[in-house]
Amino acid sequence: RFCIFRGKNPTKPPMLATASFDGSVRLWNVRTGACISILSRHRDSVYSVAFSPSGDYLASGSLAGQLYVWRVKDGQHIKSFKGKGDIFEVAWNKEETRIAACFSSNVVNVIDFKA
């Protein structure tokens, strides 16, 4: 699974985030194809990734029900949430104040986010 960020700010280059079954999340420079950062906190397969509307943050969800939020500029982990069931999708609201995580247990958790 992957997600591309193409912001309106010309100082932010287009980025690609990929989720992997090895538990890693990788950030890529779209122009050069170079891996910029490997985010490795998940212990199980990562199934979903989503950039925040500003592109400053990335949410990732694993098959173990773990959601992490990362700061893109330095790869710093800044927030966690553990739910019941596997996470199949994560998404941000347009105000960048909430993250939705869709679980295999037929539950959608909406998590408040403050940077």
Side-chain angles (χ1 to χ4, degrees):
R1 310 262 312 191
F2 65 91
C3 181
I4 296 177
F5 174 74
R6 289 188 199 111
K8 296 177 183 173
N9 183 343
T11 63
K12 286 187 181 179
M15 290 183 116
L16 173 72
T18 57
S20 178
F21 285 114
D22 70 3
S24 69
V25 174
R26 295 175 192 257
L27 298 176
W28 304 84
N29 181 311
V30 171
R31 292 189 181 118
T32 67
C35 181
I36 299 166
S37 184
I38 300 173
L39 312 174
S40 53
R41 191 173 185 94
H42 288 283
R43 298 199 186 277
D44 292 286
S45 299
V46 180
Y47 199 76
S48 183
V49 290
F51 283 104
S52 66
S54 69
D56 292 336
Y57 302 98
L58 181 77
S60 59
S62 76
L63 294 183
Q66 188 69 53
L67 173 113
Y68 291 126
V69 179
W70 313 85
R71 190 169 45 229
V72 170
K73 71 178 177 182
D74 59 8
Q76 181 72 37
H77 164 255
I78 57 170
K79 189 167 181 94
S80 299
F81 178 82
K82 175 75 170 137
K84 293 183 181 174
D86 301 330
I87 296 177
F88 289 125
E89 193 66 49
V90 293
W92 293 81
N93 69 337
K94 67 179 181 175
E95 294 83 15
E96 201 167 285
T97 57
R98 292 190 176 93
I99 306 160
C102 303
F103 290 85
S104 61
S105 57
N106 294 324
V107 171
V108 175
N109 284 103
V110 178
I111 300 104
D112 286 330
F113 175 76
K114 287 188 177 183

